[in-house]
Amino acid sequence: IKDDTVVAARQVPDKSLDFVFVDALHTYQATLDNILAWAPKVKQEGYLMGHDHNWPSVRKVLDEMLEGWKDEGECVWSFPMARF
C-alpha cells in the first residue's frame, strides 16, 4: 500500500497480521498515531515492533503506551500484543 501510514492502516483488516514494524516519522504525535492505527491490525499472539527507540520522542510513546516493551538491539523494539 503506497500511502500515508495511518491512512494505509485503514485498508488492513483488524487482527489480520502476525506483526507490524513501525518505522515512520519519529515525532511524538506521529509515533503515537502509528501505534494507535496499527496495533489493532495485529493478531493477539502477534507482535508490534518498530525502530529508533533511541529517539526521545519514540521512547516517550513506548514508555507511555507499551509498558515493558523489549529492546531487540540495533534500536529495534518489540511488544507482544497479548499485553496491549
Side-chain angles (χ1 to χ4, degrees):
I1 301 170
K2 189 172 182 176
D3 208 334
D4 175 86
T5 56
V6 173
V7 173
R10 296 180 196 142
Q11 299 177 51
V12 178
D14 287 354
K15 304 220 181 289
S16 64
L17 304 174
D18 293 319
F19 74 94
V20 166
F21 193 91
V22 176
D23 191 13
L25 187 61
H26 293 41
T27 65
Y28 176 90
Q29 191 62 53
T31 303
L32 177 63
D33 291 347
N34 271 283
I35 287 174
L36 292 174
W38 285 100
K41 309 306 174 184
V42 183
K43 296 174 185 174
Q44 187 68 21
E45 64 275 9
Y47 282 83
L48 185 61
M49 301 177 73
H51 194 238
D52 297 322
H53 63 67
N54 58 318
W55 284 59
S57 52
V58 173
R59 174 72 64 103
K60 183 171 174 43
V61 174
L62 294 176
D63 289 343
E64 291 175 0
M65 294 287 302
L66 306 176
E67 184 178 343
W69 62 272
K70 183 178 177 189
D71 179 347
E72 299 289 352
E74 301 295 323
C75 297
V76 172
W77 56 267
S78 70
F79 186 79
M81 289 308 299
R83 293 179 31 210
F84 189 71

